[in-house]
Amino acid sequence: MSKLIIKPASECRYDILSLGEVMLRLDPGEGRIHTARQFTAWEGGGEYNVARGLRRCFGKRAVVVTALADNPVGRLVEDLILQGGVDTSYIKWDKYDGCGRDTRNGLNFTERGFGIRGAVGCSDRGNTAVSQLKEGDIDWEGIFSQGVQWFHTGGIFAALSETTPGVVIEAMKAAKKYGTIISYDLNYRPSLWKAIGGEAKAQEVNREIAKYVDVMIGNEEDFTACLGFEVEGTDDNLRELETDSFKKMINKATAAFPNFKATATTLRGVKSATVNDWGAISWYDGTIYEAQHRPGLEIMDRVGGGDSFASGLIYGFITFNDADKAVNYGAAHGALAMTTPGDTTMATLAEVEKIVGGGGARVDR
């Protein structure tokens, strides 16, 4: 067992660096994708959302490493990233050919769902600039030598192409060289893996990446599909939370990967699209920590809730190096993020601390 040794912020240029895709999210609001006449534009992406949450809610210095096609859509995404306060210095800009044969930007159409109608995501990400990143494209030595407290990436980026897992491992090796903590969110998406080998390929890729990870994050499906650890007692619809089963699974995972210094799992019981039971547990230095359980949490937009959990968890470790605080900040931040539309958080640190402290939804005047 060993604890996280986090570099002092004073020795680092960045508190958090994320590697992953950033897509243009198009949201039909209360309507549906296939009947919409207008969409709201947002930016979003599993790995990027974590960095943005740490910047906007928690005030940390954040940077994203990604790639975009240099056209008006790519520049719109850049503008949205800048509005979120995330450093864009390491965006790789690819020349656009005029129609997207060579490279393009990803689109993600997302409808929220309501009641018995679940949320729907329809992504359009083939041949994107970020999916074409390969080893040697990014100067990881130059980035991490400047000092980075925490590096975050995940299974969405790793699933984008044959070359992206190599980029993940290349980045992780450089991060380890310079003492940067590494977290990875498994973020299993069946649609990304089904054409390239399904769960078998997901496990092949993610079990190799897992060897370099300090803090492994994921939900019950992620740990099963990506790492092969079954969670006993869960049904296909995930209506019930079997906390003891998750604890057993985490113990198996940490035994198989002794490099894990911490793991964290969100616990979501889906009653309907708009009512979920919500909680989280974390394993750290041999001990299990459980966040306050929130049954019957009302959801406006569930997309990005897990990413906001991850950013709150990372904040708790960076700020306090305390697993109990980390998992509770993560669960509170994830819960708040799901009360607003879009991938990214609109919560403030004061609001998170109020929820962590037991505060409720009474009006603030």
Side-chain angles (χ1 to χ4, degrees), residues 27-40 109:
D27 186 343
E30 295 178 355
R32 305 206 63 185
I33 297 166
H34 67 278
T35 57
R37 296 298 178 268
Q38 59 184 9
F39 294 88
T40 301
F109 296 83

Side-chain angles (χ1 to χ4, degrees), residues 292 294 324-325 328-329 331-333 336 349-360:
Q292 178 186 344
R294 294 179 172 85
D324 185 55
K325 286 186 176 180
N328 275 286
Y329 271 79
H333 188 224
L336 283 168
L349 177 56
E351 289 171 335
V352 173
E353 290 179 333
K354 176 183 174 182
I355 299 300
V356 170

Side-chain angles (χ1 to χ4, degrees), residues 2 26 54 111 135 145 170 199 236 304:
S2 58
L26 298 171
L54 279 155
E111 59 183 60
E135 292 177 63
S145 65
E170 179 186 43
E199 284 192 18
D236 290 340

Side-chain angles (χ1 to χ4, degrees), residues 7 11-19 63-65 90 138-153 167-183 214:
K7 297 170 68 172
E11 297 178 7
C12 299
R13 179 177 178 184
Y14 298 109
D15 302 312
I16 175 72
L17 182 149
S18 75
L19 164 66
V63 63
V64 63
V65 176
Y90 299 108
I138 306 297
D139 180 13
W140 296 113
E141 182 84 12
I143 294 172
F144 285 109
S145 65
Q146 299 175 64
V148 179
Q149 280 191 297
W150 198 287
F151 171 61
H152 179 78
T153 187
V167 179
V168 170
I169 292 173
E170 179 186 43
M172 287 180 171
K173 288 179 177 178
K176 284 213 172 287
K177 177 180 177 180
Y178 288 97
T180 298
I181 301 298
I182 298 169
S183 63
D214 298 307

Side-chain angles (χ1 to χ4, degrees), residues 300-305 308-309 332-347:
M300 175 180 284
D301 184 346
R302 66 166 284 167
V303 177
S308 291
F309 166 76
H333 188 224
L336 283 168
M338 291 186 289
T339 67
T340 54
D343 273 38
T344 55
T345 180
M346 297 182 186

Side-chain angles (χ1 to χ4, degrees), residues 37-284:
R37 296 298 178 268
Q38 59 184 9
F39 294 88
T40 301
W42 315 80
E43 89 282 22
E47 300 86 7
Y48 161 79
N49 294 341
V50 177
R52 190 188 187 280
L54 279 155
R55 174 65 187 91
R56 291 297 287 166
C57 181
F58 298 106
K60 296 300 181 181
R61 299 164 298 172
V63 63
V64 63
V65 176
T66 190
L68 294 168
D70 195 355
N71 62 18
V73 175
R75 292 298 173 177
L76 171 58
V77 173
E78 178 194 34
D79 189 64
L80 292 166
I81 295 170
L82 289 168
Q83 290 179 50
V86 176
D87 192 325
T88 60
S89 298
Y90 299 108
I91 292 178
K92 180 178 180 290
W93 290 99
D94 286 355
K95 186 177 180 180
Y96 187 60
D97 65 0
C99 64
R101 288 191 183 93
D102 297 328
T103 188
R104 53 188 295 276
N105 297 303
L107 304 177
N108 188 27
F109 296 83
T110 305
E111 59 183 60
R112 301 175 200 165
F114 186 87
I116 61 172
R117 176 172 58 84
V120 175
C122 180
S123 62
D124 178 17
R125 60 187 5 136
N127 208 37
T128 55
V130 69
S131 72
Q132 297 180 59
L133 281 178
K134 60 185 184 301
E135 292 177 63
D137 282 347
I138 306 297
D139 180 13
W140 296 113
E141 182 84 12
I143 294 172
F144 285 109
S145 65
Q146 299 175 64
V148 179
Q149 280 191 297
W150 198 287
F151 171 61
H152 179 78
T153 187
I156 294 177
F157 176 73
L160 291 180
S161 70
E162 292 292 327
T163 62
T164 52
V167 179
V168 170
I169 292 173
E170 179 186 43
M172 287 180 171
K173 288 179 177 178
K176 284 213 172 287
K177 177 180 177 180
Y178 288 97
T180 298
I181 301 298
I182 298 169
S183 63
Y184 186 84
D185 192 332
L186 291 162
N187 250 336
Y188 180 68
R189 298 290 184 271
S191 59
L192 284 174
W193 292 100
K194 66 181 179 181
I196 56 172
E199 284 192 18
K201 184 65 173 180
Q203 290 182 23
E204 176 189 334
V205 168
N206 284 289
R207 289 183 70 88
E208 181 63 28
I209 289 170
K211 298 173 184 177
Y212 301 90
V213 174
D214 298 307
V215 181
M216 183 63 82
I217 302 168
N219 63 25
E220 69 294 319
E221 183 184 19
D222 298 333
F223 275 90
T224 300
C226 296
L227 297 179
F229 298 108
E230 296 290 337
V231 182
E232 301 172 3
T234 56
D235 68 358
D236 290 340
N237 293 315
L238 306 176
R239 291 194 183 96
E240 301 297 331
L241 298 171
E242 297 290 345
T243 306
D244 288 343
S245 295
F246 287 107
K247 290 177 181 178
K248 291 177 184 177
M249 180 274 293
I250 285 176
N251 286 330
K252 291 178 183 176
T254 53
F257 293 96
N259 51 290
F260 291 174
K261 297 179 176 64
T263 68
T265 303
T266 54
L267 306 174
R268 186 194 293 269
V270 180
K271 307 301 183 185
S272 73
T274 38
V275 178
N276 291 182
D277 293 341
W278 175 254
I281 58 175
S282 178
W283 175 97
Y284 182 54

